[in-house]
Amino acid sequence: PRTGTGAVPEPPVEGNELLRHGDLTMDAEGRVVTLAGRELALTRIEFDLLETLLTGSQRVWTREALLNRVWGDGWSQDHHLVEVHIRNLRKKLGEDTSNPRFIRTVRGVGYRMIPGDQRG
């Protein structure tokens, strides 16, 4: 279940590739994200944003690139959508905006994952 209440998530289906970043794990095919062993209840957009950031390694994703990748063509003018959903995703990840663990804002450009467990 995707309740976020501490229920133990089902193990990934054999053969599914897991994306990991510290204690954050994503089973992209099964569309399951866990943080420190607890399943997170993410919306489709939040999941797709996180998957994009995780698979892009250290790539800096512009807001426009995220809009095109997650929402599809035609959304490239509404950058506020990305900011709102990144903020919601950060909240579910328990991010401290002054010292994030996962998603770094690259001022004037976009977002990228923080390497490993580095902060600052």
Side-chain angles (χ1 to χ4, degrees):
R2 297 179 63 109
T3 62
T5 60
V8 176
E10 293 292 320
V13 175
E14 191 170 325
N16 283 9
E17 179 182 345
L18 297 180
L19 300 170
R20 296 183 191 276
H21 190 281
D23 57 357
L24 179 70
T25 304
M26 173 182 278
D27 172 359
E29 288 183 36
R31 296 192 68 85
V32 174
V33 175
T34 58
L35 179 59
R38 295 181 69 151
E39 187 172 346
L40 301 179
L42 301 181
T43 66
R44 182 192 67 81
I45 295 294
E46 292 163 353
F47 185 95
D48 291 348
L49 279 171
L50 184 59
E51 180 181 24
T52 299
L53 291 168
L54 283 170
T55 57
S57 184
Q58 296 307 299
R59 173 183 172 172
V60 176
W61 289 88
T62 65
R63 288 165 182 82
E64 185 170 349
L66 287 170
L67 279 165
N68 287 333
R69 174 109 179 216
V70 174
W71 281 267
D73 296 332
W75 292 91
S76 62
Q77 299 304 312
D78 196 353
H79 294 184
H80 184 67
L81 271 176
V82 175
E83 294 163 9
V84 167
H85 287 278
I86 289 284
R87 183 172 45 244
N88 292 340
L89 179 57
R90 282 177 163 157
K91 186 182 294 185
K92 290 180 180 180
L93 292 171
E95 290 274 72
D96 173 359
T97 55
S98 64
N99 191 22
R101 294 175 54 201
F102 302 109
I103 301 170
R104 175 169 291 154
T105 300
V106 179
R107 301 252 180 249
V109 181
Y111 303 94
R112 71 173 174 85
M113 293 301 287
I114 294 174
D117 284 334
Q118 295 179 21
R119 297 184 191 193

